Amino acid sequence: MKRTTSKRLVTISDVAQSAGVSKATAARVLGSYGTASPVVKEKVREAARKLGYQANELARSMTTGKSKTIGVIVGDIENPYFGQAVRGISDAAHAAGFDVILSNSGEDAAKEKAAVRVLMGKRVDGLIVTPASVYETQHLHEVQRSGRPLVLLDRTIPDLAVDAVVTDDRQAAEAATRALIEAGHRRIAYISATESDDPIYRGPHQINLSTVMERIKGVVAASLSAGIEHPERYIRLGANRRGEGDKIISELLQGADRPTAILASDNVVALEVFKTLRRLGMSIPQDLSLIAFHDADWTSVTSPPITVIAQPVYDLGFESAQILVRRITGVGDAPRCRVLATTLIKRQSIGAPPEIQENRAVFQNNAAKIG
Amino acid sequence: MKRTTSKRLVTISDVAQSAGVSKATAARVLGSYGTASPVVKEKVREAARKLGYQANELARSMTTGKSKTIGVIVGDIENPYFGQAVRGISDAAHAAGFDVILSNSGEDAAKEKAAVRVLMGKRVDGLIVTPASVYETQHLHEVQRSGRPLVLLDRTIPDLAVDAVVTDDRQAAEAATRALIEAGHRRIAYISATESDDPIYRGPHQINLSTVMERIKGVVAASLSAGIEHPERYIRLGANRRGEGDKIISELLQGADRPTAILASDNVVALEVFKTLRRLGMSIPQDLSLIAFHDADWTSVTSPPITVIAQPVYDLGFESAQILVRRITGVGDAPRCRVLATTLIKRQSIGAPPEIQENRAVFQNNAAKIG
DNA sequence: TTGACATATGAGACCGGTCTCAAATACGCT
DNA sequence: AGCGTATTTGAGACCGGTCTCATATGTCAA
């Protein structure tokens, strides 16, 4: 039995020998269970201090069947959105006496599967997962079948009967679309970072994530309600970080009957819009109005400040962890989906569409000629 | 022995029974070691599939003394800087056959200590830590003493002889300061988010992090070289997320002999500068020039785009993990500190100080009167 | 001092996997 | 069929902690 990690760590047996008591007594003191006399307690603690004893949670978990640890798999470790959610998770978990360990899927279903395997292998007491796909979910079904509690964060999976905590993406998209319609827009694009081979939206089969589908439904519903025909013609997918954003956005804005407003799925897409507009010599909101999902720190200091859909991300995380802790503790009622509200924060990135501004200018020119 | 987690998971013994072989044979097949006949292999694998066997890595690690897992403790999970570093760590670790689990210290030494305890308890093969303080390091010394490999990411600890990977913060700060001096600035502030009771810099005893100390040294050295006296009078600390940033920045900018340029320690501080300037009715770069550490996505789309010190964060992470893997594998040479270079990316946030612009305006007025 | 009762302690089984080595089995040749 | 050799298999010890229960020890009252 070879150990490439250089030194065997100090065990309870070492401490027991040093303190002159049995392994069982030393374990009682160091594990804070059972009884021990004050004299023995002090002797054991002193020996542990001197030897540098560090508990082996592996052994403890093997025996107790519990790790007091929650495993969390986030979609994109580089996205501060998930950072905030993790802060909420950590706060709720720690308040309930649980530790949190994280893993990152990078929005890739295979990596998510590997992360689930790692965390299950470490026998975490429960899992919080932001699913990377509604199509590749076998590994999550297996978690459910194993009996280990699972909560979905931010996104749902239709045929997986587990708890979920999400924001009301449909209502958010409807509200944003209505705000743009009230400002005069009839050609409104929704641009999403979600992976897709074909950037042009053709139907639900292209959509991996529940959040994206809900938002599309919201945009389409609000547009149809306002009498706008074929609103889905302005929906684009795949505008993610790998340089596709600029291409998709510029093709859209340089096409016939271009949209006069964009609803961006997240801050990544909003940034791409900014960069593309600068390159095309267009400006917000004179040439294009913009609303973005998520109120990142910097969205209020751009010129102009961006109108955003603020999401209660910390609460998402906090609630997820609370529900999971309840499940771990043994609550067995039916799984449910908790839906949190969003807030539309109006800043200066919404204006009238360009053609309405031109009509106003023509009208003023005519008035000057008459007067 | 009570198990609140509802179901005992499937073990190798269950699979062995189902396949009609011994536990040792089933283990050989499922653990991919030793030998087994092709017929037995197929029987065991089929039984494992049917029963939903998921390896217990706790048991495996206990026996082998290895977990093939790297533990990472980041300073601030909400900062995309650390997200990028984690991506580098993950890529290098996975290439070497290791898994990565994360924990967040929130730049709090007590939380870092707890995170170290959790990850050491889980017997990770090694640790990568972004230390939250150069003063509270006992827990990291204990890691070192235990023989478990440890690499410091981004920041060093002076009396801890372990490997570290950092950026050249001193040289970065010198280069940025020189760029501002060349643009005419003689009053240059360095504003840091690092925790401090007193926002006014009085000496090294206030500084928790090696990066901050190095940057201060760089700003001061470049200023003194250019004949600027008492450059440290414009150094401010504690401008973090909790609302102190606005107060510190506005007091500084509204004081006598206010600075005409700011070097911001990170994007958080740069954002605070933007917000405060807007509130005070001042603009970049006419009233104040700005350079920020770290080239975040959004720094190139503000108006004006910000001059930044780009840091090779992914490489920081990647190198850290490579060094750690070598240590885990048994390399025993002397610990070393690997220093990576930064790049100054000039955009439009640097201009001449306001008083030089005024002198130019006066000179042009005089020329018009003559001509 | 003795007996009753409460508290502290130690021995041994167990968690689920790995590893070693002896025994069983398989295979090929005479 | 028997023998020699190679391969496969199973039994049991072990990792480091927890838990149960029998035994030892301590305390108090008669």
Side-chain angles (χ1 to χ4, degrees):
Chain A
M1 184 164 62
K2 304 187 309 178
R3 292 174 179 251
T4 50
T5 306
S6 57
K7 250 161 90 176
R8 186 188 61 103
L9 296 169
V10 174
T11 67
I12 278 180
S13 293
D14 302 323
V15 176
Q17 190 168 22
S18 177
V21 298
S22 73
K23 177 180 140 189
T25 296
R28 266 187 282 264
V29 175
L30 297 176
S32 303
Y33 62 91
T35 53
S37 70
V39 173
V40 167
K41 277 183 184 177
E42 184 49 40
K43 278 206 298 187
V44 169
R45 286 183 181 138
E46 177 58 30
R49 240 179 334 254
K50 198 175 300 180
L51 294 175
Y53 170 74
Q54 299 183 70
N56 185 338
E57 295 292 335
L58 305 186
R60 181 167 281 156
S61 301
M62 280 205 35
T63 310
T64 60
K66 306 188 309 185
S67 61
K68 298 297 285 185
T69 308
I70 284 175
V72 180
I73 302 174
V74 299
D76 181 7
I77 194 77
E78 293 178 56
N79 186 342
Y81 179 94
F82 290 109
Q84 285 178 34
V86 166
R87 190 159 53 85
I89 290 169
S90 293
D91 288 351
H94 289 138
F98 283 81
D99 296 316
V100 174
I101 54 174
L102 310 169
S103 202
N104 180 42
S105 71
E107 302 287 8
D108 180 274
K111 282 191 184 140
E112 176 183 301
K113 185 176 176 182
V116 166
R117 176 186 53 77
V118 169
L119 294 179
M120 289 294 287
K122 291 196 187 300
R123 296 298 193 260
V124 291
D125 291 329
L127 274 178
I128 294 175
V129 180
T130 302
S133 167
V134 292
Y135 297 116
E136 297 176 62
T137 62
Q138 190 192 21
H139 56 291
L140 297 176
H141 279 90
E142 279 167 18
V143 173
Q144 184 198 27
R145 257 195 312 270
S146 77
R148 188 93 347 158
L150 169 64
V151 175
L152 302 182
L153 170 72
D154 192 44
R155 302 162 188 169
T156 57
I157 292 177
D159 58 339
L160 182 59
V162 297
D163 300 286
V165 187
V166 300
T167 52
D168 193 340
D169 286 291
R170 179 165 177 163
Q171 188 273 333
E174 287 182 10
T177 306
R178 278 200 301 270
L180 292 171
I181 288 165
E182 278 158 23
H185 297 275
R186 308 292 289 181
R187 303 195 297 276
I188 299 166
Y190 173 66
I191 304 186
S192 174
T194 196
E195 281 285 335
S196 178
D197 291 332
D198 181 3
I200 298 181
Y201 175 70
R202 302 183 195 280
H205 63 277
Q206 290 170 280
I207 307 302
N208 277 345
L209 307 177
S210 63
T211 45
V212 182
M213 199 66 246
E214 289 300 304
R215 292 172 185 182
I216 288 172
K217 285 180 186 169
V219 170
V220 170
S223 300
L224 291 175
S225 288
I228 300 174
E229 299 185 337
H230 306 303
E232 70 285 343
R233 63 179 169 155
Y234 293 123
I235 296 173
R236 295 294 184 270
L237 311 171
N240 55 42
R241 228 183 315 242
R242 264 164 289 186
E244 284 294 302
D246 182 75
K247 184 166 175 251
I248 289 166
I249 294 162
S250 53
E251 285 182 355
L252 192 58
L253 292 184
Q254 292 175 326
D257 274 343
R258 74 165 180 89
T260 56
I262 288 179
L263 175 57
S265 68
D266 54 45
N267 301 145
V268 172
V269 174
L271 269 177
E272 289 297 304
V273 171
F274 258 91
K275 289 176 185 172
T276 304
L277 287 202
R278 180 171 286 170
R279 186 171 65 78
L280 299 181
M282 298 166 74
S283 65
I284 295 168
Q286 293 81 5
D287 298 311
L288 182 89
S289 292
L290 174 67
I291 300 184
F293 271 85
H294 193 48
D295 184 22
D297 271 1
W298 58 268
T299 53
S300 63
V301 305
T302 52
S303 285
I306 307 179
T307 296
V308 294
I309 294 162
Q311 296 165 290
V313 186
Y314 177 90
D315 294 335
L316 266 184
F318 198 90
E319 297 257 7
S320 300
Q322 281 194 322
I323 291 169
L324 189 68
V325 166
R326 265 189 250 125
R327 291 294 177 200
I328 292 169
T329 315
V331 173
D333 58 351
R336 61 188 184 123
C337 182
R338 182 74 191 273
V339 181
L340 303 191
T342 58
T343 309
L344 185 65
I345 299 180
K346 292 188 180 175
R347 295 194 185 116
Q348 280 80 52
S349 61
I350 306 185
E355 53 264 22
I356 293 187
Q357 293 171 38
E358 288 169 6
N359 288 346
R360 286 181 187 149
V362 169
F363 182 74
Q364 282 172 347
N365 279 347
N366 289 344
K369 284 183 180 173
I370 292 172
Chain B
M1 184 162 65
K2 306 188 311 183
R3 291 175 177 249
T4 50
T5 306
S6 58
K7 251 161 86 180
R8 186 189 61 103
L9 296 170
V10 174
T11 66
I12 279 179
S13 293
D14 301 322
V15 176
Q17 191 168 20
S18 178
V21 298
S22 74
K23 178 179 141 190
T25 297
R28 265 188 283 265
V29 175
L30 298 176
S32 303
Y33 62 91
T35 53
S37 70
V39 172
V40 167
K41 277 184 184 176
E42 184 51 38
K43 279 206 298 187
V44 170
R45 286 182 183 138
E46 177 59 30
R49 241 180 334 254
K50 198 175 303 181
L51 294 177
Y53 169 73
Q54 298 185 71
N56 185 338
E57 294 292 336
L58 305 186
R60 182 167 280 156
S61 301
M62 281 208 30
T63 309
T64 62
K66 306 187 308 185
S67 61
K68 299 297 288 185
T69 307
I70 283 175
V72 180
I73 301 173
V74 299
D76 182 6
I77 195 76
E78 291 177 56
N79 186 342
Y81 179 94
F82 291 109
Q84 285 178 34
V86 166
R87 190 158 55 85
I89 290 168
S90 293
D91 288 351
H94 288 139
F98 284 81
D99 297 316
V100 174
I101 55 176
L102 310 169
S103 200
N104 180 42
S105 72
E107 302 287 8
D108 179 276
K111 282 191 186 141
E112 177 183 302
K113 185 176 177 183
V116 165
R117 174 186 55 75
V118 168
L119 294 179
M120 289 294 287
K122 290 194 187 302
R123 295 298 192 264
V124 290
D125 292 328
L127 274 177
I128 294 176
V129 180
T130 302
S133 167
V134 292
Y135 297 116
E136 296 176 63
T137 62
Q138 190 192 24
H139 55 292
L140 296 176
H141 280 90
E142 279 167 19
V143 173
Q144 185 199 26
R145 259 197 309 272
S146 76
R148 189 96 344 160
L150 169 65
V151 175
L152 301 182
L153 170 71
D154 193 44
R155 302 163 188 168
T156 57
I157 291 177
D159 58 338
L160 183 59
V162 297
D163 300 286
V165 187
V166 300
T167 53
D168 193 341
D169 286 291
R170 178 166 178 162
Q171 187 275 334
E174 287 182 9
T177 306
R178 279 199 300 270
L180 291 170
I181 288 166
E182 279 159 24
H185 296 276
R186 308 293 289 184
R187 305 197 295 278
I188 298 166
Y190 174 66
I191 304 187
S192 174
T194 196
E195 281 285 333
S196 179
D197 291 334
D198 181 2
I200 299 179
Y201 175 70
R202 303 184 193 276
H205 63 276
Q206 290 170 277
I207 307 301
N208 277 345
L209 307 179
S210 62
T211 46
V212 181
M213 198 65 246
E214 289 300 303
R215 292 172 185 182
I216 288 172
K217 284 178 184 169
V219 169
V220 169
S223 300
L224 292 175
S225 288
I228 299 173
E229 299 186 337
H230 306 303
E232 68 285 345
R233 62 176 168 157
Y234 293 123
I235 296 173
R236 296 293 184 271
L237 312 170
N240 55 41
R241 228 181 314 239
R242 265 166 288 187
E244 283 295 299
D246 181 75
K247 184 166 173 249
I248 287 166
I249 294 162
S250 54
E251 284 182 356
L252 191 58
L253 292 183
Q254 291 175 327
D257 274 344
R258 72 165 181 91
T260 55
I262 288 179
L263 176 58
S265 69
D266 54 45
N267 301 144
V268 171
V269 173
L271 269 178
E272 287 297 305
V273 172
F274 259 91
K275 288 177 186 172
T276 302
L277 286 202
R278 179 171 289 171
R279 185 173 65 78
L280 299 181
M282 297 167 75
S283 64
I284 294 168
Q286 293 84 2
D287 298 310
L288 182 89
S289 292
L290 174 67
I291 301 184
F293 272 84
H294 194 48
D295 184 20
D297 270 1
W298 57 268
T299 53
S300 62
V301 305
T302 52
S303 285
I306 308 179
T307 296
V308 294
I309 295 162
Q311 296 165 291
V313 186
Y314 177 89
D315 295 335
L316 265 184
F318 199 91
E319 297 257 6
S320 299
Q322 280 193 323
I323 291 169
L324 189 68
V325 166
R326 266 190 248 122
R327 292 294 179 199
I328 293 169
T329 314
V331 172
D333 59 350
R336 60 189 183 124
C337 182
R338 182 73 191 273
V339 181
L340 304 191
T342 59
T343 309
L344 185 66
I345 299 181
K346 293 189 180 177
R347 298 196 183 115
Q348 280 80 54
S349 62
I350 305 184
E355 54 264 22
I356 294 185
Q357 293 171 40
E358 288 169 7
N359 288 344
R360 285 180 187 154
V362 169
F363 181 73
Q364 282 171 347
N365 279 347
N366 289 345
K369 285 186 182 174
I370 294 172

